[in-house]
Amino acid sequence: MLGSLVAVLVVAATVVVLVAARADRPTPAAAAGRSDATPAIATTSSAPPAPRTTTSAPSSTPPPTSTTTATTSAAASGDAPLAGRIKPGVPHSGVATFYDTDGTGACGYDASADPLNAAMNVADFEGSLACGAYIRVQAANGANVTVRITNLCPAPCRVGQVDLNPKAFDRLGARNLGELPVTWKLVDPPSVPDISLHYKDGSSQYWCGIQVIGHRNPVARLEVRVGGSWKRLQRTDYNYFLSENGAGCGGSVAVTDIYGERLVIDPLPVKPGVSQPTSRQFARH
């Protein structure tokens, strides 16, 4: 009897020790620094994004890569029509004149040896939306020329007027005519190089202006990747998209044309005043 009583007391003491040890051990949830009853809240959620950082913590949705091309219509996205006054397939009437130009001007492009460029009147320039657009200008005699818009033609240029490089005007008629009645409309050239991105002089990780160069179709909007979402930048009348607080400077860029085609371009270093080629180009229409 005495031996049995001792055995029972030993077993009971062992159970008490094990229960106490288990109570002192942290649960897996506590060891991980969270509670099973309350979802964890990231400690960075209340902090503003650092403007000088071009990378961010991973989000639940991976960002698109440079191989992603999404096409959405204005109606599907709920936005206003992406095309402005210069709409695909819509002819415009006006006059053609000419002036001495090397392709520079209000659109902010570098000088070019290509004479097939022109300046657009204020109304149809539409705050730089016409920059980079290709239009086919046709005279009453049937002669035509395709030019790229690189500049603004201020007053006294009238609505519908295009001011051509002299060599482009030569393809329509003699210069001694001064001006010619013409019609013109938007076209997309069959062969163009890939798009380039250009950071404005003075750009940095704290402030930047981004310009799109060499696009087949007019550019309607530009977005930059900020954290796990896209931020649309405002366009200036000198054809740059500005990020004045540095958000997205040096990050991924998404460029959308007036047809709704959206090209996502991988991050490029912020190199002020340098045109950096990409491997992307809009489709023909």
Side-chain angles (χ1 to χ4, degrees):
M1 290 291 293
L2 181 59
S4 299
L5 179 59
V6 170
V8 169
L9 292 174
V10 170
V11 170
T14 302
V15 170
V16 170
V17 171
L18 290 174
V19 169
R22 183 177 181 84
D24 291 339
R25 181 183 303 163
T27 64
R34 61 176 174 81
S35 168
D36 288 335
T38 305
I41 299 176
T43 58
T44 59
S45 62
S46 60
R52 59 186 297 170
T53 303
T54 57
T55 59
S56 61
S59 64
S60 58
T61 304
T65 66
S66 62
T67 58
T68 302
T69 301
T71 303
T72 56
S73 66
S77 66
D79 293 336
L82 298 181
R85 288 178 56 88
I86 305 178
K87 292 179 170 60
V90 177
H92 299 256
S93 297
V95 297
T97 51
F98 60 90
Y99 78 113
D100 189 16
T101 174
D102 58 1
T104 59
C107 291
Y109 300 140
D110 291 337
S112 171
D114 183 2
L116 301 184
N117 55 75
M120 183 61 73
N121 66 83
V122 174
D124 294 316
F125 188 76
E126 206 168 357
S128 82
L129 183 59
C131 285
Y134 289 88
I135 62 169
R136 179 177 293 118
V137 184
Q138 183 164 331
N141 60 10
N144 68 82
V145 62
T146 297
V147 294
R148 177 171 169 252
I149 302 303
T150 61
N151 201 1
L152 168 68
C153 183
C157 275
R158 297 94 77 190
V159 175
Q161 183 172 349
V162 286
D163 209 14
L164 306 175
N165 180 292
K167 292 184 179 179
F169 188 91
D170 290 343
R171 301 195 182 187
L172 302 178
R175 295 187 198 181
N176 60 7
L177 295 174
E179 66 177 46
L180 292 169
V182 296
T183 58
W184 56 268
K185 64 179 181 179
L186 181 70
V187 294
D188 51 355
S191 178
V192 290
D194 289 333
I195 286 172
S196 293
L197 292 185
H198 186 99
Y199 279 98
K200 195 178 188 307
D201 289 340
S203 291
S204 69
Q205 56 189 336
Y206 308 107
W207 178 97
C208 65
I210 305 174
Q211 184 184 68
V212 187
I213 301 173
H215 42 91
R216 171 179 276 122
N217 307 317
V219 170
R221 61 168 64 114
L222 183 144
E223 305 159 86
V224 291
R225 188 78 175 177
V226 181
S229 61
W230 289 97
K231 176 184 178 182
R232 183 176 175 182
L233 300 186
Q234 291 298 311
R235 188 177 198 159
T236 67
D237 57 5
Y238 53 90
N239 197 33
Y240 275 90
F241 294 85
L242 294 187
S243 178
E244 297 183 290
N245 62 359
C249 294
S252 298
V253 173
V255 185
T256 303
D257 70 5
I258 61 172
Y259 298 96
E261 184 179 5
R262 185 172 182 267
L263 304 179
V264 177
I265 299 170
D266 281 340
L268 293 171
V270 179
K271 295 182 178 180
V274 177
S275 296
Q276 301 181 68
T278 73
S279 59
R280 315 309 305 279
Q281 185 54 268
F282 294 121
R284 294 196 68 194
H285 291 271

